[in-house]
Amino acid sequence: MATELPATPTASERMAYRAAQELRDADVVFVGIGLPNLACNLARETHAPGLFMIYESGAVGAIPERLPVSIGDPSLVTDSLAVVGQADIFQCMLQRGLIEVGFLGGAQVDRWGNINTTVIGDYANPKVRLPGSGGACEIAVHARRLLIVMRMSKRTFVETCDFVTSPGHRVHGKSRAELGMPGGGPTRIITDLGVLDFDATGEAVLAEVYAGVTVDQVRAACGWPLRVADSLRMATEPDTAVLRLLREKLDPKRLYL
Amino acid sequence: MNKLCSMKEAIAESVKDGSSLVIDGFTHLICFAAGHEIIRQGRRGLTAIRLTPDLVYDQLIEAGAVRKLVFSWAGNPGVGSLHALRRRSEASSPERLELEEYSHFGLLSRLLAGSAGLPFWPLNNYAGGDIARVNPSIKAVTCPFTGQELAAVPALRPDVAIIHCQRADTEGNAQVWGLLGSQKEVAFAAKKVIVVAEEIVSTELIRKDPNRTLVPGIIVSHVVHEPWGCHPSFVQGFHDRDNDFYVKWEDISRQPETYRAWLEEFVYGVKDRQGYLARLETGLLDKLRAKARVCEGVDYGY
């Protein structure tokens, strides 16, 4: 029986859909767990059936038939094209330059797209100890395009990250080119209020808002004086068919939604 | 040489106070049975190494076995924090644990150097960020051919590596399928290797499918037969992850009192892995057992 669909999408549904729009058919994607995984599955079901999914745990060309509960779920192995050791993932896939798109989120992001997943407060004496980098640092260094997916608040969108785990466009005053980083750096920050692009200097600029969201609302949720693009766009939103797909097929147990 | 022994013997002979060790696995093949035996034997001052220290490392920390943690991502994957670790690593903690931190690629590179018998390993990483700033073991090196500046990390040679596998023979030829994590690099980097297997099989069976062997017996010192030794982690083709436990662990481990009570019941309160399994909810193992998905045979003929 079909479930009743509310008229408007939830914040998570908007983010998953908007992130899926960034993926092109046949892109090689380094998939993270959670909304990025859902966005990839959605893209695969709609406009990008040939999306090539690589997981940090070693699954290459995975097509998991259930939503993985962790990055190392056994369903990633079943029907994968290849399963390799993690050293191969980081050396032969990521550092070799094979990854087009990476996804990251974090506890803090700043205006240059630097991300913190290490500590809140001083490193040696932290207020909160977070999980650390995992593969995030190398994804930020090597992916040709990086999508940041994060809910927006003054606490998470900060003037300066307490710790730069994963570098964005400018790190401690130096550009990626000056630092010799091979990947392209963040292209978009997809949030629950809208989408931020990066200008030629590498600064995040508000480029899209969702229907019903004002610029003032977005600015109020940002910890630095957020610049707004000259031509502010309306973010594309999932239609009923997409919502049905997300809710009934891709995440029926609402693991991520 | 027959290296088959009990977990108790393997740990007693290999893991000493102050040892550096890896109980490897990446979500897959994490040998909780080995961690619990180390806790029961009361080891102290360990340097615990793994890319992804998870629940069993947190339990070793709570039990007071660990002095230092070398890692790149510490959490309860998909669920939350490691609470014993957090209680010993934040500003308000009275008893601080020593932490040495990398990204996954950095720590893997240390193991690659260790497994290759080289003093260091280069990687194109860390430029400008804070990970290298706070870890003096990450240094810069200039390529002698191109002049490019790269990061370099020192070789890691743990005293002991414990790796779980689907099957092994009594000499330690160990076969693994599914997610491989860093088990191969960890085993070759370590000075001593304990192989723990779901099944002990004949060498003849291993020889029938030699490409499946991840670790050859020549680097293995002990072989332990411990079915279900990975619960609540999973073993491809044998059983799924007990995800409900990982979710429940968030509540159990948040308070020191409930954490200690769990350790008392499931670790100190049992003699061995069989005792632990007997305490699990009836029917749980049947629920987790894998449904068969057998691949067709491979022709090794010539």
Side-chain angles (χ1 to χ4, degrees), chain A:
Chain A
M1 198 182 77
T3 46
E4 200 61 37
L5 285 166
T8 52
T10 64
S12 298
E13 288 166 343
R14 277 175 160 166
M15 291 164 80
Y17 175 75
R18 188 59 192 82
Q21 299 316 297
E22 296 292 317
L23 301 169
R24 299 181 299 237
D25 201 15
D27 272 348
V28 178
V29 189
F30 206 88
V31 190
I33 219 70
L35 286 185
N37 187 77
L38 201 53
C40 290
N41 285 344
L42 179 60
R44 220 158 43 83
E45 288 282 336
T46 54
H47 64 281
L51 198 71
F52 196 89
M53 291 155 69
I54 296 183
Y55 289 78
E56 164 180 294
S57 50
V60 175
I63 44 167
E65 64 177 16
R66 75 178 183 197
L67 267 187
V69 291
S70 92
I71 197 81
D73 194 279
S75 69
L76 300 176
V77 167
T78 313
D79 293 333
S80 232
L81 286 177
V83 177
V84 301
Q86 282 186 284
D88 287 347
I89 287 286
F90 286 106
Q91 298 206 115
C92 308
M93 306 286 167
L94 201 46
Q95 186 170 263
R96 165 78 172 71
L98 289 175
I99 306 296
E100 173 68 28
V101 186
F103 282 101
L104 291 179
Q108 294 180 329
V109 63
D110 69 18
R111 69 166 79 197
W112 308 109
N114 295 308
I115 299 170
N116 173 17
T117 54
T118 302
V119 288
I120 301 297
D122 175 51
Y123 182 74
N125 234 3
K127 192 160 147 254
V128 182
R129 175 67 231 192
L130 301 166
S133 165
C137 170
E138 27 273 3
I139 293 167
V141 169
H142 292 284
R144 288 201 283 279
R145 290 190 284 141
L146 179 69
L147 299 171
I148 301 172
V149 182
M150 273 175 77
R151 283 167 190 267
M152 218 173 166
S153 75
K154 272 201 151 60
R155 201 169 49 83
T156 54
F157 280 60
V158 296
E159 178 76 50
T160 308
C161 284
D162 291 1
F163 188 97
V164 176
T165 315
S166 307
H169 286 291
R170 294 191 75 77
V171 197
H172 300 309
K174 287 200 172 156
S175 71
R176 292 179 75 88
E178 286 172 288
L179 294 163
M181 269 185 262
T187 47
R188 298 236 146 93
I189 309 179
I190 294 161
T191 81
D192 51 335
L193 300 176
V195 178
L196 283 65
D197 288 355
F198 290 86
D199 70 11
T201 70
E203 181 176 344
V205 176
L206 181 64
E208 298 173 27
V209 288
Y210 296 110
V213 177
T214 66
V215 168
D216 284 348
Q217 259 177 287
V218 183
R219 280 195 164 130
C222 188
W224 69 83
L226 181 65
R227 290 180 37 231
V228 179
D230 295 337
S231 52
L232 187 68
R233 303 183 299 267
M234 195 67 88
T236 52
E237 301 231 34
D239 60 19
T240 311
V242 168
L243 288 180
R244 212 172 268 290
L245 195 57
L246 281 171
R247 293 172 191 178
E248 291 170 9
K249 183 169 180 192
L250 298 176
D251 190 6
K253 289 183 185 162
R254 300 286 150 92
L255 222 51
Y256 305 141
L257 286 175

Side-chain angles (χ1 to χ4, degrees), chain A residues 79 123-124 126 129 138 164, chain B residues 91 96 101 105 124-125 130 293:
Chain A
D79 293 333
Y123 182 74
R129 175 67 231 192
E138 27 273 3
V164 176
Chain B
R96 299 281 287 276
E101 177 162 17
F105 192 19
N124 189 1
N125 222 2
D130 288 337
R293 182 113 173 184

